[in-house]
Amino acid sequence: MSGVAALHSCFALLVIITFFATSTTSSDTISANQSISGDGTLVSANDVFELGFFTPDGTNYYVGIWYKNISDRTYVWVANRGTPLTNLSSSAFKIGDKGNNVVVLNQATNIVLWSANQTEANSSPVNPVAQLLGNGNLVVREEGDESSNNYLWQSFDFPTDTLLPDMKLGWDFSQGLDRFLNSWKSLQDPSPGDFSFKLDFHGYPEAFLWDNGTKLYRSGPWNGIRFSGVPEMVSTSDIDFTFISNQQQVYYSYEVNNPSIISRLTVNSTGYLQRFTWVEDSQSWSLFWYAPKDQCDNIGECGPYGICDTNGSPVCNCTVGFSPKNPQAWNLREGSDGCVRDKKLDCSTDGFLPLKGMKLPESSNTLVDMEMSLQDCQKGCAKNCSCTGYSSANISNGEAGCVMWFDDLLDMRHYIDGGQDFYVKLSAADIAAYGGLFAQKSSSNRLGTLSIVGIAAGGGVLLLALGAFLMWKRKPLVISRARNTEPRGALERSQDFLLNEVVFSSKRDYSRENKPEDLELPLFDFNAIALATKNFCDENKLGQGGFGCVYKCRIEEGPVVAVKRLSKNSGQGTEEFKNEVRLIARLQHRNLVRLIGCCVELDEKILIYEYMEHKSLDSVLFSKTKSSMLNWERRFNIICGIARGLLYLHQDSRFRIIHRDLKASNILLDGELNPKISDFGMARIFGRDQIEANTRRVVGTYGYMAPEYAMDGLFSEKSDVFSFGVLVLEIVSGKKNRGFYYADSELNLLGHACKLWKEGKGLELLDSAVGDAYSMNEVLKCIQVGLLCVQEHAEDRLAMSSVVLMLSSENPTMPHPKNPGFCLGRPVETDSSSSKHDETCTVNQVTVTMLDAR
Ligand SMILES: *[C@@H]1O[C@H](CO)[C@@H](O)[C@H](O)[C@H]1NC(C)=O
Ligand SMILES: *[C@@H]1O[C@H](CO)[C@@H](O)[C@H](O)[C@H]1NC(C)=O
Ligand SMILES: *[C@@H]1O[C@H](CO)[C@@H](O)[C@H](O)[C@H]1NC(C)=O
């Protein structure tokens, strides 16, 4: 070591002599009278990291550290991220005047343009040097003193968006440091972004991902092996993970034991944590973990006492002994209100129900005691009335220590694999009903006695299976996961939670999660389909849409099906198409047309759906002869069904789907005239580039398109809501909305409906084919819902969850609709201000102009 040091000082001396002040040195060290400028750099002695000026956008310059030999230029630290330099030739990077930090200054004027934060412990050194270490840490230290405790300043104390091996994420109380990651503003802008990943040291420490002041995701507390919410953390010999928590500091860190592995953790500019490893063979970064990954990673998805499970449908379940606080919202898959206790605790006979496979609840208001056993923990929690649950604090070596929760239990989720035990407090009656651990011996209940034996025998493990069985009606495992549960050297490791070191895998194959190979979706043979449709002969044609033609046929001996032959410009590869179809096949709802199979051969892409006897809604609704089939009850049923199907697409599926082409011809009716939405996955199948928030090509059907979508190509769930609103008004009135370009309000359905509504003559809109049997309330409710959905401003429109709620309530409270998009009709009410009217006119003029230009 001293040899290396001597070599360094020697080399530094050589540099001073040879190059003078502003040299283009590639040493790893500069002294107080040297600087870096232009394309000069510092290179770490191991040749891994390089420090110098860079520009991400060609105009703003920054001092940063990057991997020297990685072709995909990756910055791990940026000095002046908030104060870019505009004139590279005048700028220089050097040690600050006091010798205890680094600065960027104007070479000519010596004016400091940026200066690094100093820590409290900084002092003034005699002979400071700045050195770029082999782990990417830029340090300022006294020359000759290489002890890592004596750095005057180090970049590792002021991370940018990247956590490198050896860096610490968290707190050093003595130095007043909170080291956290903060995202770049965008890929081209390293200035501080909205997203941060910070360790919270309160209670049982855990890390949170923040979007400014809002928590997005939490890692779950460190349980001695891993973060409780990161079950993927599994041991290998390549990476060691460390979590330290004591009076002086609380931090998380990791070390790479194999020098050929280059690993980093970042918060990216769109708010995701990502862990990457460099793959030499492919010369690219391989993403092997990211978060938030699914619905259940969103903080508060299922509210207090709710348990999120991505394999469940719905994903939110109440903890046993609890019921939804707001059942209506809960049934609409809006779980954030959470659950409330069915039976009050009495604080003397209460017991505990073990929940298996859990991500521990949010843990900032907890009490941690490393000395207590799990049994003592149970007693402690039973005694304190405000304690709501407990768990082991360290599961790295069996169970040790105790954590008690004192608040509502928040943000729990269940893992099929990789979770841990948590004990929730329940009333004695619930324990008797559901099984579990009685706190008191007093009960004569057999289960209770058994439980106590269970505890004595080591934690009541025997009973856990029963509890778990009662709690989750699990779906079969679709994705199988390989996992090594034994942490390396668990037995040799210290039991001390405060000083433990844990290892997890960098090698897990995450790609499997994206390919649900086990999902059954029959692949049909192209020849069989061609035969069944008489080579796609017109006589079997049911219809034609933007995505291709639909044929009715019976393939081999099967049932009658509808075959959709996609037009050939989907721009999608075969594998991509299959994956997409598999995903869509997983969407199952009684108001969605069921996908039965598909066929991909050569450049043919065919989808096979269940056949709908009454074909599409428009063929009935707008037909003089058939429209009387749709009495009011049926129409109302159709409206509610479409609403439920759309809610499912928007909220329930893992990959929220925006339909983008909802219209009467895409609603199919089965034998009992139940509505089923079709074409719901088309937006995904057809060109992903169109699924960006701003589309280049507007797809959809005029007359159903929301103004912001038609004009600016902006779409969202709310543009589907607009189309739904149009559909509702069409179903009520039996009239087709011809689009928004007819000045005559009789032809513009929305304007017409709006006008009648304002005049208090809503019922006049009702289709005469409905007859006399209808509920006035329901009709008016539907018209109002329809108008609330077609409001001009997307933010005013209802969410589908509110639509379903309103439709299913007897007397819902509903806001008053503002002007619908392209509502013509003169304002009748005196309170309609003239400015509102002007605004409407302007919008219409813009629209007309746009149409003319087409
Ligand atoms: C940049 O700095 C150099 C050297 O100090 C100076 O000659 C030049 O005028 C500066 N350019 C601008 C645009 O200020
Ligand atoms: C951020 O990470 C997520 C998850 O890996 C990824 O989908 C997204 O594209 C990333 N954003 C950027 C700007 O790289
Ligand atoms: C319960 O524990 C909390 C947190 O430690 C404490 O503040 C409270 O005083 C305790 N209550 C009782 C009755 O012991």
Side-chain angles (χ1 to χ4, degrees):
M1 200 57 201
S2 62
V4 177
L7 195 70
H8 281 164
S9 2
C10 222
F11 192 46
L13 196 65
L14 190 72
V15 166
I16 296 166
I17 296 165
T18 326
F19 294 95
F20 192 57
T22 58
S23 60
T24 51
T25 168
S26 57
S27 152
D28 69 346
T29 306
I30 49 171
S31 59
N33 59 355
Q34 291 176 304
S35 64
I36 302 283
S37 61
D39 52 12
T41 59
L42 282 181
V43 175
S44 62
N46 60 3
D47 209 37
V48 172
F49 290 99
E50 186 165 28
L51 175 146
F53 288 88
F54 73 94
T55 174
D57 58 6
T59 48
N60 294 307
Y61 288 85
Y62 302 88
V63 173
I65 297 175
W66 58 86
Y67 296 95
K68 178 165 181 276
N69 297 314
I70 283 180
S71 46
D72 180 2
R73 182 61 74 84
T74 308
Y75 302 98
V76 297
W77 184 74
V78 181
N80 54 321
R81 58 186 307 197
T83 30
L85 312 165
T86 44
N87 191 344
L88 180 62
S89 54
S90 65
S91 310
F93 176 79
K94 64 189 293 291
I95 297 175
D97 271 351
K98 288 192 179 146
N100 59 11
N101 71 347
V102 286
V103 299
V104 177
L105 44 71
N106 184 313
Q107 293 190 94
T109 62
N110 259 353
I111 290 172
V112 173
L113 304 171
W114 171 84
S115 159
N117 287 341
Q118 298 180 8
T119 43
E120 284 167 21
N122 287 358
S123 61
S124 300
V126 183
N127 213 352
V129 293
Q131 183 180 17
L132 180 59
L133 303 181
N135 57 9
N137 194 5
L138 176 71
V139 302
V140 178
R141 58 175 175 80
E142 191 75 72
E143 188 177 6
D145 179 2
E146 311 220 337
S147 138
S148 64
N149 297 326
N150 284 339
Y151 295 144
L152 300 157
W153 180 92
Q154 55 178 325
S155 64
F156 273 17
D157 281 343
F158 304 96
T160 305
D161 64 345
T162 302
L163 193 74
L164 294 173
D166 300 347
M167 258 169 112
K168 295 169 180 176
L169 182 82
W171 298 78
D172 183 329
F173 302 112
S174 63
Q175 294 199 66
L177 283 175
D178 173 16
R179 313 176 196 89
F180 62 89
L181 306 183
N182 172 253
S183 67
W184 284 30
K185 193 145 235 146
S186 70
L187 285 174
Q188 276 78 42
D189 183 358
S191 62
D194 293 333
F195 304 99
S196 302
F197 189 53
K198 292 189 184 197
L199 199 71
D200 180 356
F201 62 83
H202 296 96
Y204 193 25
E206 60 180 326
F208 289 91
L209 179 66
W210 293 82
D211 175 358
N212 290 313
T214 310
K215 287 174 180 171
L216 293 181
Y217 161 82
R218 64 186 188 97
S219 65
W222 185 264
N223 62 20
I225 297 179
R226 57 176 175 259
F227 287 114
S228 172
V230 190
E232 297 90 345
M233 283 187 162
V234 177
S235 59
T236 65
S237 54
D238 289 333
I239 304 186
D240 287 354
F241 288 83
T242 311
F243 194 88
I244 303 288
S245 174
N246 58 35
Q247 293 298 315
Q248 287 77 46
Q249 44 187 359
V250 180
Y251 69 78
Y252 159 74
S253 172
Y254 68 104
E255 248 170 79
V256 173
N257 301 322
N258 179 343
S260 69
I261 292 179
I262 297 180
S263 167
R264 64 188 169 96
L265 176 73
T266 61
V267 179
N268 79 10
S269 57
T270 49
Y272 287 87
L273 286 163
Q274 297 176 304
R275 184 178 283 286
F276 288 103
T277 308
W278 180 252
V279 182
E280 196 59 39
D281 293 343
S282 63
Q283 287 290 299
S284 63
W285 289 105
S286 150
L287 177 68
F288 72 86
W289 178 78
Y290 70 94
K293 187 181 306 176
D294 54 37
Q295 205 177 343
C296 292
D297 273 346
N298 299 335
I299 275 196
E301 185 72 21
C302 300
Y305 300 103
I307 298 177
C308 199
D309 186 345
T310 50
N311 291 294
S313 177
V315 295
C316 290
N317 271 296
C318 284
T319 306
V320 171
F322 292 77
S323 303
K325 183 171 179 193
N326 178 349
Q328 262 179 337
W330 192 269
N331 290 338
L332 297 173
R333 312 300 194 235
E334 171 47 57
S336 59
D337 285 340
C339 309
V340 288
R341 214 175 266 287
D342 295 333
K343 300 199 182 70
K344 282 220 165 70
L345 300 176
D346 69 1
C347 216
S348 65
T349 63
D350 307 323
F352 296 93
L353 183 73
L355 308 179
K356 293 225 83 170
M358 302 300 290
K359 174 179 182 178
L360 296 177
E362 194 169 327
S363 59
S364 51
N365 187 16
T366 53
L367 207 62
V368 183
D369 187 333
M370 297 312 301
E371 305 303 318
M372 271 166 98
S373 68
L374 201 59
Q375 289 97 306
D376 291 343
C377 201
Q378 192 213 355
K379 285 184 198 141
C381 187
K383 261 191 240 152
N384 187 319
C385 293
S386 48
C387 179
T388 48
Y390 69 94
S391 81
S392 229
N394 185 345
I395 60 170
S396 67
N397 190 5
E399 299 202 308
C402 166
V403 190
M404 292 185 232
W405 274 256
F406 292 100
D407 278 330
D408 286 347
L409 303 173
L410 298 176
D411 199 41
M412 288 184 281
R413 68 177 288 181
H414 174 247
Y415 293 111
I416 292 283
D417 199 0
Q420 62 189 101
D421 299 347
F422 177 76
Y423 300 82
V424 61
K425 195 186 260 182
L426 288 186
S427 70
D430 280 336
I431 298 294
Y434 302 115
L437 312 174
F438 280 101
Q440 310 272 320
K441 237 179 187 153
S442 62
S443 172
S444 59
N445 187 290
R446 241 178 64 231
L447 252 176
T449 332
L450 244 176
S451 310
I452 287 155
V453 175
I455 301 167
V461 183
L462 293 174
L463 283 172
L464 300 188
L466 174 63
F469 175 75
L470 286 165
M471 255 178 306
W472 292 287
K473 286 170 234 140
R474 283 189 200 168
K475 297 194 131 188
L477 206 79
V478 176
I479 301 155
S480 53
R481 295 183 194 172
R483 204 176 70 93
N484 169 10
T485 43
E486 260 321 291
R488 181 182 62 108
L491 290 172
E492 299 110 71
R493 223 175 293 118
S494 156
Q495 287 187 33
D496 183 3
F497 169 70
L498 298 178
L499 269 175
N500 55 35
E501 175 191 88
V502 180
V503 178
F504 84 51
S505 168
S506 59
K507 289 187 175 152
R508 186 159 176 267
D509 180 7
Y510 287 82
S511 59
R512 299 173 58 165
E513 285 198 352
N514 302 327
K515 287 184 199 158
E517 292 293 352
D518 307 345
L519 192 89
E520 290 291 313
L521 183 72
L523 277 175
F524 283 78
D525 175 46
F526 179 74
N527 290 329
I529 297 171
L531 204 63
T533 56
K534 302 202 176 113
N535 202 16
F536 305 98
C537 151
D538 277 353
E539 92 188 41
N540 290 314
K541 198 151 146 185
L542 286 171
Q544 179 154 12
F547 298 119
C549 296
V550 186
Y551 303 85
K552 173 186 175 180
C553 67
R554 185 191 294 268
I555 301 169
E556 285 161 355
E557 299 298 293
V560 177
V561 293
V563 162
K564 172 166 269 178
R565 187 187 199 187
L566 301 184
S567 33
K568 295 182 183 173
N569 56 1
S570 75
Q572 231 187 10
T574 304
E575 273 314 302
E576 207 181 345
F577 173 80
K578 278 195 204 161
N579 281 335
E580 220 36 56
V581 169
R582 280 195 192 99
L583 286 178
I584 289 160
R586 300 177 78 170
L587 296 177
Q588 295 205 358
H589 188 275
R590 65 173 178 229
N591 296 113
L592 299 184
V593 174
R594 199 161 62 85
L595 188 62
I596 295 171
C598 73
C599 163
V600 200
E601 271 174 44
L602 302 168
D603 54 353
E604 290 288 350
K605 297 190 176 72
I606 292 172
L607 298 173
I608 293 135
Y609 292 100
E610 60 181 331
Y611 176 70
M612 291 289 127
E613 206 166 313
H614 286 292
K615 312 213 172 73
S616 61
L617 175 62
D618 65 335
S619 68
V620 182
L621 184 63
F622 303 131
S623 149
K624 280 211 175 67
T625 51
K626 293 189 193 159
S627 61
S628 56
M629 277 164 66
L630 299 176
N631 62 20
W632 177 251
E633 195 189 335
R634 283 178 174 149
R635 289 185 197 220
F636 188 63
N637 176 50
I638 289 171
I639 291 172
C640 293
I642 301 169
R644 282 190 297 262
L646 199 54
L647 173 66
Y648 177 85
L649 289 179
H650 285 181
Q651 293 204 343
D652 261 7
S653 54
R654 293 180 195 197
F655 27 95
R656 302 189 171 188
I657 287 190
I658 299 174
H659 189 294
R660 294 208 299 162
D661 197 15
L662 195 66
K663 55 180 171 182
S665 58
N666 275 337
I667 305 299
L668 305 185
L669 300 174
D670 71 5
E672 277 119 43
L673 293 167
N674 292 310
K676 304 206 178 206
I677 300 174
S678 73
D679 271 7
F680 48 85
M682 288 303 168
R684 279 181 79 91
I685 287 182
F686 273 76
R688 279 181 175 277
D689 56 336
Q690 294 170 16
I691 320 268
E692 312 288 8
N694 202 329
T695 57
R696 264 173 266 151
R697 189 169 69 88
V698 170
V699 301
T701 306
Y702 285 98
Y704 291 90
M705 273 194 284
E708 74 278 6
Y709 180 31
M711 297 201 297
D712 300 326
L714 290 172
F715 74 89
S716 65
E717 286 163 19
K718 291 296 184 70
S719 29
D720 272 357
V721 169
F722 185 95
S723 311
F724 172 78
V726 175
L727 205 42
V728 169
L729 296 174
E730 286 184 342
I731 294 170
V732 171
S733 66
K735 294 199 176 63
K736 219 176 165 72
N737 185 38
R738 303 299 173 100
F740 38 75
Y741 41 88
Y742 287 92
D744 182 348
S745 68
E746 288 300 316
L747 285 167
N748 178 340
L749 181 60
L750 307 191
H752 183 55
C754 170
K755 183 163 164 275
L756 288 176
W757 179 262
K758 282 188 174 173
E759 291 168 356
K761 298 191 280 192
L763 280 181
E764 284 182 21
L765 194 67
L766 187 62
D767 189 352
S768 56
V770 164
D772 294 332
Y774 57 85
S775 146
M776 203 172 84
N777 266 348
E778 274 176 9
V779 173
L780 290 175
K781 186 165 70 175
C782 286
I783 297 173
Q784 191 170 356
V785 164
L787 289 172
L788 285 169
C789 291
V790 297
Q791 295 180 90
E792 185 167 332
H793 297 293
E795 63 274 15
D796 293 337
R797 289 175 213 147
L798 299 175
M800 283 318 293
S801 51
S802 317
V803 170
V804 173
L805 191 62
M806 287 173 184
L807 290 175
S808 60
S809 316
E810 278 297 325
N811 281 312
T813 43
M814 294 200 269
H816 270 284
K818 299 181 189 165
N819 277 348
F822 316 108
C823 179
L824 284 167
R826 250 170 266 116
V828 176
E829 282 162 4
T830 44
D831 66 354
S832 301
S833 70
S834 60
S835 70
K836 224 183 210 169
H837 188 216
D838 286 351
E839 191 185 340
T840 319
C841 285
T842 320
V843 171
N844 280 301
Q845 276 158 13
V846 171
T847 313
V848 171
T849 315
M850 184 201 77
L851 286 166
D852 286 349
R854 288 173 63 88

